[in-house]
Amino acid sequence: MKLAIVTAYPPSKVTLTEYGYHLVKHFRLQDQVTEITLITDKTKELKDLNFEEKGCKITVKEAWDFNSYSNIFRINKAISESKPDAVLFNLQFLKFGDKKVPAALGLLLPFICKIRGIPTISLLHNILEKVDLANAGFTNNKLLQRIYNFIGTTLTRFVLASDIVAVTISKYVTTLKKKYDATNITLIPHGAFETPPEPDYNLPEGPKQVMAFGKFGTYKKVEILIEAVEEIRKRTSENIEIVIAGTDSPNTPGYLDEMAKKYAQVSQLRFTGYVAEEDVPKIFGDSAVVVFPYTSTTGSSGVLHQAGSYGKAVSLPDLGDLSILVREEGYKGEFFEPDSVDSLANAIENILTNDAYRRSLGKANYKAACSLPMSAITEMYINHFNNIIAKKTGSPVLESK
């Protein structure tokens, strides 16, 4: 199978770039995949294809730019030139831009592939029905929210033209089937990016690192984390370093610079900036606890799966998709009220001051992550593609080994 994958890809800073990397990393090891055409956004630096394991050939086509109006034509051209047997879109609603028209045009591509007869699966990481538009940085205006919801519903219908739409949370399956009367929705879990050998759960010498990872400024706020750690410092003798790992959300440029100035007087506060793929194991491995300072959620959490892969204790708000993931996939954490500094301080303190508890959370999360490795996730996609191709050609269904 010659597979085309449309995704952002490292060193891109566009959303879902890391997930795109791990899709490619594991698809290339599937026996039935003979070549991958990576249709990705343009970057000044070369794409990160330095994989250790031998796998199939990868052809890179840098075909689009964030917020470009011509993406729909350039990506369609790249698909035509590569002549794939199947196409996988790695999508969310701001995949191709944070401006309305470029973002919308990009989401028409699954419909175009479907009418061209190309077996198409769209992986949709979030659905507008479950997004808090104000917290996610779209708009606070009620009228505009209604307009966004109408546009989102229309665009969702175009994505649903795919042969299969894969979502990572069971609730999304129910919502899409009920609202759109869709019969082509399937649940394929997010999966754990890596399943490294089980860690020893020890911490490095020095301060205990309390780390948050992601793109910040909309529904991911670092203020509550910084202030919570300051509260812990007042009432304990714990030696704590606060690590903010990641960049601004595209919707809030300059946010982290503003936070660095606002909290310049806070000791042992480190902003790492963009974390390259090869540095991810260390940033997680050195952490005592991974914190999710979220006020809402917009889909399955890659950070939670990463934390599990490295055997880390987590502190997270008991809301939305995070709560569903914890229940459905076996993750465990110390919960807090989303807008309460005191509640988050208590949650973090409970982990930092009880080493046995920290280790038990890490072990549970490692076990949860290992139950859904990306190798198994990509195999699910291959089986779905085989079913689609078999239906279109009338040939027997091949099963991935």
Side-chain angles (χ1 to χ4, degrees), residues 20 60 138 143 240 306 309 362:
V60 177
F138 286 83
L143 176 60
I240 306 170
Q306 284 177 297
S309 295

Side-chain angles (χ1 to χ4, degrees), residues 337-359:
E337 297 172 16
D339 297 313
S340 172
V341 171
D342 286 340
S343 177
L344 177 54
N346 291 336
I348 297 172
E349 185 178 345
N350 287 343
I351 295 172
L352 293 184
T353 59
N354 187 334
D355 200 57
Y357 181 48
R358 177 187 65 79
R359 287 169 178 269

Side-chain angles (χ1 to χ4, degrees), residues 161-235:
S162 310
D163 290 291
I164 290 176
V165 172
V167 292
T168 58
I169 296 176
S170 62
K171 194 172 183 180
Y172 290 1
V173 177
T174 304
T175 300
L176 292 173
K177 284 184 175 181
K178 182 176 181 180
K179 179 174 180 178
Y180 298 94
D181 197 27
T183 58
N184 61 334
I185 314 300
T186 189
L187 173 66
I188 299 182
H190 181 285
F193 289 157
E194 303 289 354
T195 51
E198 186 172 7
D200 60 14
Y201 305 101
N202 294 325
L203 298 177
E205 294 292 327
K208 295 178 179 178
Q209 295 183 16
V210 175
M211 191 268 284
F213 188 97
K215 290 181 170 64
F216 300 96
T218 51
Y219 64 93
K220 299 180 182 180
K221 301 286 191 179
V222 303
E223 296 98 319
I224 186 174
L225 171 57
I226 297 169
E227 291 169 16
V229 171
E230 287 285 78
E231 284 295 316
I232 299 170
R233 287 170 172 167
K234 290 177 183 177
R235 62 198 194 202

Side-chain angles (χ1 to χ4, degrees), residues 80-144:
S80 296
E81 291 173 346
S82 61
K83 297 181 174 62
D85 298 309
V87 179
L88 174 65
F89 288 92
N90 181 31
L91 296 177
Q92 61 110 299
F93 278 87
L94 297 182
K95 178 70 177 188
F96 298 104
D98 54 15
K99 296 179 181 177
K100 301 175 186 65
V101 175
L105 288 174
L107 294 176
L108 302 181
L109 284 160
F111 171 75
I112 292 172
C113 286
K114 178 64 183 297
I115 63 176
R116 292 180 57 189
I118 304 172
T120 302
I121 296 179
S122 291
L123 165 56
L124 197 55
H125 287 262
N126 63 357
I127 60 175
L128 207 62
E129 287 78 7
K130 299 300 178 182
V131 174
D132 184 325
L133 292 174
N135 273 324
F138 286 83
T139 180
N140 290 303
N141 184 287
K142 297 298 182 183
L143 176 60
L144 286 177

Side-chain angles (χ1 to χ4, degrees), residues 281-303:
K282 180 169 176 56
I283 204 78
F284 277 91
D286 289 349
S287 301
V289 56
V290 179
V291 180
F292 296 74
Y294 300 177
T295 56
S296 67
T297 57
T298 61
S300 185
S301 173
V303 180

Side-chain angles (χ1 to χ4, degrees), residues 246-261:
T247 59
D248 295 324
S249 164
N251 286 341
T252 54
Y255 168 77
L256 289 178
D257 284 342
E258 181 183 336
M259 292 301 101
K261 293 175 183 176

